[in-house]
């Protein structure tokens, strides 16, 4: 018997319990949806948690405007099939309004600009709980999070002032102006997520599967060619490679990996033997030793 599937079954039960606690304890929750595998997994867990009723909260996508087209196509098709509400708020609107300044140059990315758009959306709709797909194994700052992670009335995170979580007691009491980030799959690993997608036969964007793509190499990483979004030097040679993406984010800071994995079973086998974190392909996490932690302190999910 596959022991990994057994462990994922236990993790599913925990995540469903957390989802139900969110709806029981908060007035206006929302699920943060990127179109990536983790948020897709959250949607499936929400379906199971509240079946046969519909998912009782909307999905919120903070759109950088630099997403992979495959991800946006999948997002729109999924919400239509499920009949759930999708709220989209665009980073471009804040750039146009002069609230944030777009980066330029070799390592420019809009990922850092998502925070302001997210906080604006939370205030606009009065969300008191934002369900996200972060996992403890992704990055060391995320390992400091609680499952119910409190943010102050400025949307900021104080990692040294979080409540203890004893056993499975989740405390959703918050003061006026505060809100909570909720991480139902916090205890999952990347392999757990892929094993769950495999077991549940969950559809995911095609970008996760190996495909031929025009790419170039920079800093030892493989970048997708899109000269309107991804900065490329004239001497950075374009070549077609067989690649896939382990994580889906802003295409200007998300690198691909060489792969022949064209189905879920092969991806699971590939991840099982991988020694490199999926976040290793996200250049925005490498700006400094504490890049992610600083973003979270400022209000990033």
């Amino acid at each position: 018997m596959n022991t990994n599937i057994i462990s994922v079954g236990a993790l599913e039960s925990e995540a469903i319990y957390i989802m139900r606690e969110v709806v029981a304890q908060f007035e206006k929750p929302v699920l943060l949806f990127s179109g990536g595998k983790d948020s897709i997994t959250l949607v499936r867990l929400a379906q199971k948690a509240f079946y046969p009723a519909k998912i009782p909260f909307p999905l919120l996508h903070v759109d950088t405007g630099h997403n992979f087209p495959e991800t946006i196509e999948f997002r729109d098709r999924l919400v239509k099939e499920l009949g759930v509400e999708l709220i989209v708020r665009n980073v471009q609107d804040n750039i146009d309004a002069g609230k944030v300044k777009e980066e330029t140059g070799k390592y420019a990315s809009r990922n850092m600009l998502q925070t302001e758009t997210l906080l604006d959306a939370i205030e606009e709709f009065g969300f008191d709980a934002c369900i996200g797909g972060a996992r403890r194994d992704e990055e060391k700052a995320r390992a400091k999070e609680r499952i119910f992670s409190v943010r102050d009335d400025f949307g900021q995170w104080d990692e040294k002032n979080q409540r203890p979580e004893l056993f499975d007691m989740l405390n959703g009491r918050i003061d006026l102006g505060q809100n909570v980030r909720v991480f139902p799959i916090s205890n999952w690993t990347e392999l757990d997520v892929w094993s769950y997608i495999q077991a549940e036969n969950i559809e995911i964007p095609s970008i996760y599967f190996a495909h031929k793509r025009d790419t170039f190499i920079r800093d030892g990483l493989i970048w997708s060619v899109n000269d309107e979004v991804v900065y490329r030097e004239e001497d950075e040679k374009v070549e077609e490679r067989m690649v896939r993406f382990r994580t889906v984010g802003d295409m200007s800071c998300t690198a691909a990996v060489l792969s022949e994995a064209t189905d879920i079973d092969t991806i699971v086998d590939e991840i099982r033997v991988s020694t490199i974190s999926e976040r290793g392909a996200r250049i925005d996490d490498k700006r400094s030793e504490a890049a992610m932690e600083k973003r979270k302190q400022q209000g990033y999910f």
Side-chain angles (χ1 to χ4, degrees):
M1 185 175 292
N2 190 326
T3 56
N4 194 62
I5 295 298
I6 293 173
S7 69
V8 170
L11 290 170
E12 179 194 62
S13 296
E14 178 189 53
I16 286 173
Y17 164 74
I18 293 166
M19 289 276 193
R20 290 171 176 167
E21 283 295 301
V22 170
V23 170
Q25 296 192 43
F26 296 96
E27 294 184 6
K28 202 163 186 184
V30 67
L31 192 154
L32 303 178
F33 187 79
S34 67
K37 66 184 182 308
D38 297 318
S39 59
I40 292 168
T41 296
L42 288 179
V43 169
R44 173 58 60 88
L45 291 165
Q47 284 182 280
K48 286 195 166 188
F50 304 106
Y51 182 83
K54 287 187 176 182
I55 297 173
F57 38 72
L59 311 186
L60 170 63
H61 183 204
V62 177
D63 190 344
T64 66
H66 290 172
N67 295 282
F68 291 95
E70 297 95 326
T71 307
I72 299 301
E73 184 277 330
F74 178 88
R75 178 200 71 184
D76 293 343
R77 181 159 46 83
L78 178 67
V79 298
K80 184 177 181 180
E81 289 174 358
L82 297 181
V84 296
E85 179 185 2
L86 172 67
I87 299 168
V88 179
R89 287 298 177 267
N90 298 288
V91 170
Q92 185 66 53
D93 292 339
N94 277 356
I95 295 172
D96 293 343
K99 297 181 69 172
V100 293
K101 185 177 180 180
E102 185 159 21
E103 299 175 348
T104 58
K106 190 174 182 179
Y107 297 108
S109 168
R110 288 187 174 183
N111 261 18
M112 297 290 287
L113 308 184
Q114 288 178 291
T115 298
E116 186 74 24
T117 306
L118 172 60
L119 295 179
D120 286 349
I122 291 171
E123 183 176 2
E124 177 186 354
F125 292 96
F127 295 129
D128 53 2
C130 299
I131 304 166
R135 308 185 320 270
R136 298 190 205 276
D137 72 319
E138 287 182 275
E139 202 274 343
K140 58 188 177 183
R142 287 180 167 172
K144 298 179 182 180
E145 289 276 20
R146 302 293 192 268
I147 291 173
F148 276 17
S149 185
V150 179
R151 301 299 198 267
D152 67 19
D153 51 0
F154 296 102
Q156 297 177 332
W157 175 60
D158 181 359
E159 77 282 4
K160 297 179 180 178
N161 190 30
Q162 292 293 311
R163 302 165 179 169
E165 287 182 338
L166 306 175
F167 305 102
D168 59 355
M169 293 184 292
L170 300 173
N171 181 1
R173 295 177 183 175
I174 54 176
D175 295 329
L176 183 66
Q178 290 182 327
N179 60 78
V180 171
R181 304 290 195 276
V182 180
F183 303 113
I185 60 172
S186 183
N187 291 326
W188 297 42
T189 65
E190 183 188 10
L191 180 58
D192 290 329
V193 170
W194 280 113
S195 296
Y196 189 70
I197 289 170
Q198 180 185 41
E200 291 285 310
N201 194 28
I202 299 173
E203 186 181 0
I204 54 174
S206 60
I207 199 167
Y208 279 114
F209 299 105
H211 56 284
K212 291 182 179 179
R213 198 177 193 94
D214 285 341
T215 61
F216 66 96
I217 302 291
R218 178 191 298 141
D219 301 332
L221 298 176
I222 304 170
W223 300 97
S224 181
V225 175
N226 184 317
D227 289 340
E228 294 183 3
V229 174
V230 184
Y231 181 92
R232 181 170 60 88
E233 301 279 6
E234 289 185 8
D235 61 349
E236 290 177 323
K237 183 180 178 183
V238 175
E239 293 184 12
E240 186 179 75
R241 294 178 173 88
M242 191 75 167
V243 299
R244 72 178 194 86
F245 292 83
R246 284 177 66 183
T247 179
V248 174
D250 188 311
M251 71 172 71
S252 65
C253 63
T254 306
V257 295
L258 293 173
S259 177
E260 298 292 331
T262 56
D263 56 58
I264 294 291
D265 293 344
T266 313
I267 288 176
V268 170
D269 292 339
E270 188 178 89
I271 297 300
R272 197 182 302 277
V273 299
S274 176
T275 58
I276 301 172
S277 166
E278 64 187 301
R279 301 295 296 194
R282 294 289 288 271
I283 197 67
D284 53 322
D285 289 350
K286 299 181 179 182
R287 294 183 178 215
S288 74
E289 188 68 18
M292 174 63 80
E293 187 152 331
K294 289 179 180 178
R295 291 169 68 195
K296 292 178 75 64
Q297 289 168 345
Q298 294 166 357
Y300 181 73
F301 99 95

